[in-house]
Amino acid sequence: MTSAFVRVSGPPNSNFLVGYPGISATSPRIEGKVEIRPLLGVSAPVHVSLVTVCLQRRESIHPSADTIKGHLVTSNRREITDIVGKEMLLYRAPLGRESEAILSMDLPFVIFIPYGRGGEEMARRVPPASLQLDRRAAETYYEIVVTVHHGASDQKKYPFPVPIARYDTLSTFGMYNRPESAERVVDHLVTLAISLPRWSYGPLDPVSVYIKLTPNPDMLRKAMKATVKAITMSIEEEVIYNHQGDEPQRKAKTLASSTHRVGIKMPEAGYFTNLGLVFPARDLRNQEGIMPRQKREFPLYAVSGFTTTGTLYKIEYYLVVKAVMSGAKDIMIRQPIVVCPWDHAGCKEEMEAIEQAAKDAYHISPDNPMLPASTIIRASDANGLKSLGMTIVGGHRKPLIE
């Protein structure tokens, strides 16, 4: 039985991914065409009984990856594989036949990526973005998987990597540009309050925070004896590994920090200040200053991680403000923030394209996406060889010269 050459091609001059995952108005989807040709013998027909296509998410974690030297031990690695959305049936042999002899097949398809937050209904959850942490401590990647059945028992799968990003954490969205505030009291003497003008950040974005320390008016004399020694501000990344059934493991690390020395007694009116730092970015270039080629499964980001939630892991970020006191207990606030893979300028550039994608998707229905017709050339078709650039001359197969 002749093997098949299978590939997936995207729409002309664009990627497989159309629309913006996480933004429902753009109807995010994978568009493409499965192309099947003979692999050997140029024109020997391929026997095909069934062709399906699906979008597959592969997720894995290794919580100890950052502490192991040398080769990673695989026994600790946990992996899952899920189908995103639905598997599509593209072709089935006619009833009563096990398979059909095919010279060529072009089978258009569209797979809609879920964009509703459907609670416990997994099929409607927005899939997490493609991501690979250092030393593969956690990774998520996607593949378009084409399955070709050549008979009742013979089938072969063909995976094609496709990177997927999420666009619902852009720092330009209004929901992230509203002030967030929090306050904390430890020993009833001093209150620490903070206010963030916005709470979504990307690489090299400025992070500023308004800080207010006020004495308790009911214990004013005792509170004013306390000294504000210093105020520290830091950004923490926390990865929560979930082995599904095991106790989740939490690993936190500080990405950036700054310290503001104060050294004054607590004023009656309180102490107010603004602090800031720059959200860290990693250099994408190598030691020779060359930008490495992007991996097919993962987009290149100037951050090592970003806010995301998968099945096996979750990454969260916190802005930590700590008032170091003398004569009173230290006070700390750990305020959740959102980290976006792109900086504020990059997010602004995407906004216009997102609006256009929403207009383009307005008339698209997931129930009837209006796909082009499939093109199937069977071995029994008259002039079927012509589709492969071949013809019969004197009983022999020859290249077709028109």
Side-chain angles (χ1 to χ4, degrees), residues 69-263:
K69 304 294 182 188
H71 185 67
L72 287 182
V73 182
T74 55
S75 59
N76 258 357
R77 192 156 203 92
R78 177 83 173 87
E79 299 191 21
I80 60 160
T81 302
D82 276 334
I83 290 178
V84 178
K86 295 177 182 175
E87 188 171 28
M88 282 187 68
L89 174 65
L90 300 182
Y91 169 81
R92 188 196 295 273
L95 200 65
R97 291 194 206 170
E98 185 181 69
S99 63
E100 214 174 3
I102 302 293
L103 290 177
S104 79
M105 274 184 160
D106 289 341
L107 309 172
F109 69 90
V110 58
I111 299 172
F112 285 89
I113 296 172
Y115 51 73
R117 300 187 184 279
E120 294 305 309
E121 190 186 340
M122 286 296 291
R124 289 194 58 210
R125 287 188 188 170
V126 185
S130 304
L131 172 67
Q132 186 180 54
L133 293 184
D134 292 337
R135 293 176 61 80
R136 296 182 62 217
E139 69 179 13
T140 297
Y141 67 96
Y142 293 83
E143 293 171 322
I144 300 169
V145 180
V146 178
T147 306
V148 181
H149 295 253
H150 298 290
S153 58
D154 185 16
Q155 71 171 50
K156 193 167 182 186
K157 292 183 183 290
Y158 302 85
F160 301 91
V162 51
I164 288 184
R166 280 273 292 269
Y167 293 87
D168 47 349
T169 59
L170 297 190
S171 58
T172 40
F173 287 140
M175 59 189 284
Y176 299 118
N177 288 303
R178 294 175 185 155
E180 282 280 301
S181 57
E183 65 175 45
R184 181 101 195 273
V185 181
V186 176
D187 55 8
H188 305 293
L189 289 179
V190 180
T191 301
L192 170 64
I194 65 169
S195 178
L196 299 172
R198 61 188 183 94
W199 48 289
S200 175
Y201 307 96
L204 300 182
D205 280 351
V207 181
S208 63
V209 58
Y210 174 68
I211 297 167
K212 182 169 69 172
L213 280 165
T214 51
N216 183 347
D218 297 330
M219 305 174 71
L220 192 58
R221 183 173 294 181
K222 192 175 179 182
M224 287 175 62
K225 289 179 182 177
T227 301
V228 185
K229 293 171 70 177
I231 297 174
T232 63
M233 172 186 176
S234 61
I235 294 171
E236 281 186 7
E237 175 187 78
E238 185 172 89
V239 185
I240 299 106
Y241 298 97
N242 174 28
H243 265 81
Q244 289 187 311
D246 294 350
E247 190 70 27
Q249 284 181 254
R250 293 177 174 267
K251 295 200 173 181
K253 66 178 178 183
T254 301
L255 302 182
S257 64
S258 68
T259 301
H260 176 58
R261 303 285 173 194
V262 183

Side-chain angles (χ1 to χ4, degrees), residues 47-88:
H47 290 271
V48 179
S49 55
L50 197 74
V51 180
T52 63
V53 66
C54 68
L55 180 64
Q56 190 170 270
R57 174 170 65 99
R58 300 173 73 95
E59 197 175 286
S60 66
I61 56 170
H62 194 313
S64 306
D66 53 350
T67 57
I68 293 175
K69 304 294 182 188
H71 185 67
L72 287 182
V73 182
T74 55
S75 59
N76 258 357
R77 192 156 203 92
R78 177 83 173 87
E79 299 191 21
I80 60 160
T81 302
D82 276 334
I83 290 178
V84 178
K86 295 177 182 175
E87 188 171 28
M88 282 187 68

